[in-house]
Amino acid sequence: MIVGTAGHIDHGKTALVRALTGIDADRLAEEKARGITIELGFAYADLGAGAVTGFVDVPGHEKFVHTMLAGGGGIDLALLVVAADDGIMPQTREHLAILDLLGVSRGVVALTKADLASPDRIAALTVEIAAMLAPTTLAGSPVLPVSALTGAGVDDLRDALALAEAETLARASDGRFRLVVDRSFTLAGAGTVVTGTVVSGRVSIGDQVTISPLGLTARVRGIHAQNRKADQGLAGQRCALNLAGDGISREAISRGDMVLDPALHAPGQRIDVRLRVLATEPKPVTTWFPARLHIGAAEVGARIVPLPGALDPGASGLAQLVLDAPIAASMGDRFILRDVSARRTIGGGHVIDMRAPARHRARPARLEALRAMALSDPVRALAALADQALVDLDSFARDRALSGAQLDRAVADSGIATIAGTRHALAPARLDALRQAMLDQLAAFHEENADLQGLGRERLRLMLEPRLPKDVFAAFIRAEAEAGRIALDGAFLRLPGHLPRLSPEDEALLTRITPHLDGEERFRPP
């Protein structure tokens, strides 16, 4: 289990992690000198559940919210810290809003510095915190008074976290491997090491991986999972990977990059999303609204294009994000949008399509396709997409980080029909309609052009809907010819029973002309 701290500056997050684990997560000299967390800190401990729990300690100061966001993705449980003497503060509310937008649904509230507050103050603050949590994904989370100084309540908090660890379901590790990089450094005698959370799949020593969006190729030389040496790293674990390869260095890899299965490397710079605007926004989000996108551990400039119109404060809807630089992400990844001055959180949501079109992005057909793509269940999404248009199965699997086995199961369970010889599919009814339209077009052409050999392949392709790519259409007509429904005649297509013949008028003309082509008259043209 990965636990992420959240809360206002100086409310005791780092001290609480130290009390729980015995590890000081502040590692920088400046952090120790100033007494505040500036960078992400990490600690690990067995809290009594027999498993290693990882803690990600994040800064609470508003100037370092971008660093908090880098550690906010991939956590299983939020440890929201509120100081009993200060109470709920601005960064408490912003961190809670971010956790809500990230979809974190499991949490514990630690009421720190409980030794500085009276029982009545703690009781009143508990009620206030419960009301603050009520409209969020963390509604109903327990509130536990603790004091890192005296140790009061720390054991109760440790027990609550150990229970949560025991109840944490292992993340599915049968997808393709993705690790979000939050640190990159050089270790003497080992070389380049990156750390981060494995968000899907698994990785083993010796595996070939790609650093995205850079496109660098590397080999995994060593793995530490949950701060222990391991042969494998699994989804849900914090891992350190020792990487080797051409161009692999501490400077080449930075926070926000992603280490992934080479099949998943396809960064995008224009993405379609579902966006929820916070009710605290002062005005609607309109076309080309500037923002800073935080996704995984990456931060990049973005322009927001709501689809099909402006999004009011508190509203949700489809939008396109046009980015300043490409990013590595997959369908369903959560993101946060903040204003360009980094003073407030605008909203957040999840990724739908990593390869969004620049034109016709708000047409009804496109919006309908986005609603189908937004379905989290790959079986339902495949069925809905194949009912609208041709589905590229490999792209579908890549954009959802599905393994080959996961894709095969989804195809089988969705009941879609794969076009023979290709990795493309349609709903059975759509494929039947496409086949019938082809036969109808050929029949109509033969009726009007009985003397011609057949219809040109490219001309027929452009007449059919959905319009298949050339290679897919070539495979489709080959399969139809093998089934005996059509005949391939050089560059032309025809129905099997069709033979070129003259029209009745031309037949009569030929009958009149033929006698003049034989006998003595053949050398005396009229």
Side-chain angles (χ1 to χ4, degrees):
M1 181 174 76
I2 306 296
V3 177
T5 66
H8 195 74
I9 184 174
D10 202 31
H11 274 203
K13 295 184 292 298
T14 303
L16 186 59
V17 171
R18 184 167 58 244
L20 289 167
T21 67
I23 298 171
D24 186 356
D26 281 348
R27 52 189 171 81
L28 303 180
E30 186 180 357
E31 291 177 317
K32 297 181 183 299
R34 296 172 61 183
I36 63 171
T37 300
I38 298 172
E39 261 293 350
L40 295 175
F42 307 100
Y44 303 87
D46 183 347
L47 300 178
V52 177
T53 299
F55 288 82
V56 182
D57 186 31
V58 305
H61 196 286
E62 65 174 347
K63 291 184 179 179
F64 303 120
V65 170
H66 66 285
T67 307
M68 179 268 176
L69 286 163
I75 66 172
D76 298 297
L77 182 140
L79 180 57
L80 183 62
V81 176
V82 181
D85 55 343
D86 274 354
I88 297 171
M89 299 292 281
Q91 243 50 59
T92 312
R93 296 186 183 279
E94 183 167 21
H95 282 203
L96 177 60
I98 289 169
L99 292 170
D100 186 39
L101 291 169
L102 291 174
V104 179
S105 58
R106 302 172 64 209
V108 175
V109 180
L111 203 51
T112 55
K113 304 183 183 181
D115 53 311
L116 301 180
S118 66
D120 288 344
R121 165 68 174 166
I122 289 174
L125 195 52
T126 299
V127 172
E128 189 179 348
I129 291 171
M132 178 182 68
L133 297 179
T136 74
T137 52
L138 293 177
S141 296
V143 180
L144 303 177
V146 296
S147 171
L149 181 64
T150 67
V154 172
D155 287 341
D156 292 338
L157 177 58
R158 185 181 288 109
D159 291 343
L161 293 175
L163 179 61
E165 170 73 72
E167 293 175 346
T168 299
L169 299 175
R171 296 192 194 182
S173 57
D174 55 349
R176 293 194 182 274
F177 171 68
R178 295 194 303 142
L179 176 141
V180 177
V181 176
D182 51 41
R183 287 182 67 203
S184 174
F185 55 92
T186 301
L187 201 60
T192 303
V193 175
V194 299
T195 68
T197 302
V198 181
V199 292
S200 69
R202 64 180 67 210
V203 65
S204 303
I205 294 176
D207 283 356
Q208 294 289 326
V209 295
T210 297
I211 315 301
S212 192
L214 303 174
L216 295 175
T217 300
R219 180 176 60 86
V220 179
R221 296 174 56 187
I223 300 173
H224 273 69
Q226 297 292 81
N227 209 35
R228 295 180 179 179
K229 192 172 182 180
D231 294 325
Q232 279 192 333
L234 305 176
Q237 294 180 331
R238 278 200 56 78
C239 288
L241 304 182
N242 181 200
L243 301 179
D246 291 341
I248 298 298
S249 66
R250 176 180 64 83
E251 295 78 17
I253 307 172
S254 56
R255 173 178 291 168
D257 290 343
M258 195 171 281
V259 182
L260 40 71
D261 184 314
L264 300 183
H265 175 59
Q269 198 166 343
R270 187 184 294 270
I271 61 178
D272 282 342
V273 302
R274 176 161 286 281
L275 170 64
R276 174 159 68 92
V277 180
L278 291 179
T280 52
E281 268 301 282
K283 57 184 179 180
V285 173
T286 55
T287 300
W288 297 114
F289 193 100
R292 299 294 296 175
L293 170 71
H294 298 264
I295 184 165
E299 178 184 357
V300 64
R303 292 280 180 169
I304 307 172
V305 183
L307 306 175
L311 284 173
D312 293 326
S316 296
L318 298 172
Q320 185 171 108
L321 303 181
V322 182
L323 311 181
D324 292 348
I327 60 167
S330 289
M331 183 273 164
D333 285 358
R334 293 276 182 165
F335 67 87
I336 299 294
L337 289 171
R338 303 194 82 223
D339 74 306
V340 290
S341 63
R343 292 183 178 178
R344 72 181 193 279
T345 299
I346 296 170
H350 64 271
V351 174
I352 297 176
D353 186 7
M354 283 295 297
R355 268 146 286 284
R359 301 175 65 232
H360 310 314
R361 54 192 165 206
R363 282 189 173 181
R366 174 61 185 172
L367 297 180
E368 191 64 27
L370 285 176
R371 294 184 186 99
M373 290 181 192
L375 297 171
S376 58
D377 179 11
V379 174
R380 292 178 59 210
L382 261 181
L385 284 169
D387 195 44
Q388 297 177 26
L390 186 71
V391 179
D392 182 332
L393 296 177
D394 290 334
S395 295
F396 180 86
R398 178 196 63 206
D399 292 344
R400 290 176 177 250
L402 300 179
S403 66
Q406 287 177 314
L407 177 63
D408 291 344
R409 286 197 299 270
V411 170
D413 293 346
S414 65
I416 61 176
T418 303
I419 296 176
T422 76
R423 299 288 293 164
H424 293 75
L426 283 167
R430 292 275 296 187
L431 184 57
D432 288 343
L434 175 66
R435 183 178 293 122
Q436 189 58 51
M438 177 186 65
L439 298 177
D440 290 345
Q441 290 288 0
L442 288 175
F445 183 82
H446 291 333
E447 181 70 23
E448 295 178 7
N449 305 276
D451 57 331
L452 296 183
Q453 189 174 354
L455 186 57
R457 297 188 183 199
E458 180 62 10
R459 183 178 172 188
L460 178 60
R461 184 182 76 88
L462 297 177
M463 295 168 71
L464 300 177
E465 286 292 337
R467 184 172 294 175
L468 306 183
K470 291 184 178 181
D471 57 336
V472 178
F473 183 71
F476 172 65
I477 60 175
R478 268 197 312 273
E480 293 300 297
E482 289 171 3
R485 284 185 280 267
I486 63 172
L488 306 182
D489 202 344
F492 300 98
L493 301 175
R494 59 179 174 82
L495 294 176
H498 172 73
L499 290 175
R501 67 182 188 278
L502 296 178
S503 65
E505 294 80 5
D506 287 347
E507 191 71 45
L509 184 59
L510 180 63
T511 301
R512 290 172 50 202
I513 292 173
T514 301
H516 298 282
L517 302 179
D518 296 327
E520 295 182 0
E521 290 189 37
R522 68 183 184 277
F523 298 120
R524 294 195 293 271

